[in-house]
Amino acid sequence: MNTKLHAVTDANGRPLSFFITAGQISDYTGAAALLDDLPKAQWMLADRGYDAEWFRDALEQKGIKPCIPGRKSRSMPVKYDKRRYKRRNRIEIMFGRLKDWRRVATRYDRCPTVFFSTLALAATVLFWL
């Protein structure tokens, strides 16, 4: 019943695509799944869970500059734009608004397909209508 939700949003924090993984799965799996769905952008804001060299290289090949802080276990610290990283709060606000829907917040649906449909419906109503 534990799941992680990975999302790609636009600059205003509106969701563009989602991917659901099991709770014990690494964030790298969600990053790899959403890599093809990335729109044209200058920057990619993500949290520490997405810090991997292959992900940074893939973003740079697409012409996107990563703004991802390094993991604490990293031997060489990674430089990132701390002022730009503060705009990641829009993504957290998007997740908070989705959780205003009780069915999304409590994950009543056992079936991941039904939960994903509920999530898509909530995102459409909250952000696009």
Side-chain angles (χ1 to χ4, degrees), residues 28-97:
Y28 299 144
T29 307
L34 291 174
L35 194 59
D36 294 332
D37 293 339
L38 293 178
K40 287 193 175 253
Q42 291 180 342
W43 290 89
M44 167 70 155
L45 306 178
D47 64 356
R48 293 176 195 267
Y50 295 95
D51 178 37
E53 285 301 321
W54 66 266
F55 188 58
R56 290 177 184 275
D57 294 339
L59 288 174
E60 289 175 1
Q61 286 177 356
K62 288 183 162 263
I64 301 172
K65 299 174 200 162
C67 185
I68 305 170
R71 288 184 181 258
K72 296 190 185 236
S73 62
R74 216 178 229 278
S75 58
M76 295 288 294
V78 177
K79 291 187 179 186
Y80 66 99
D81 188 355
K82 292 180 182 177
R83 193 176 73 182
R84 187 175 304 273
Y85 184 72
K86 287 183 180 180
R87 293 188 57 142
R88 199 178 70 82
N89 70 343
R90 293 176 185 221
I91 299 167
E92 298 300 329
I93 290 169
M94 183 264 311
F95 282 117
R97 285 188 64 195

Side-chain angles (χ1 to χ4, degrees), residues 103 107 109-120:
R103 190 173 194 102
R107 175 77 200 274
D109 306 307
R110 289 184 175 217
C111 178
T113 307
V114 176
F115 178 66
F116 190 80
S117 300
T118 303
L119 189 66

Side-chain angles (χ1 to χ4, degrees), residues 4-36:
K4 285 184 187 176
L5 177 63
H6 308 273
V8 174
T9 65
D10 62 4
N12 296 323
R14 296 177 299 189
L16 300 175
S17 61
F18 293 112
F19 188 72
I20 296 177
T21 59
Q24 68 272 17
I25 302 295
S26 172
D27 287 341
Y28 299 144
T29 307
L34 291 174
L35 194 59
D36 294 332

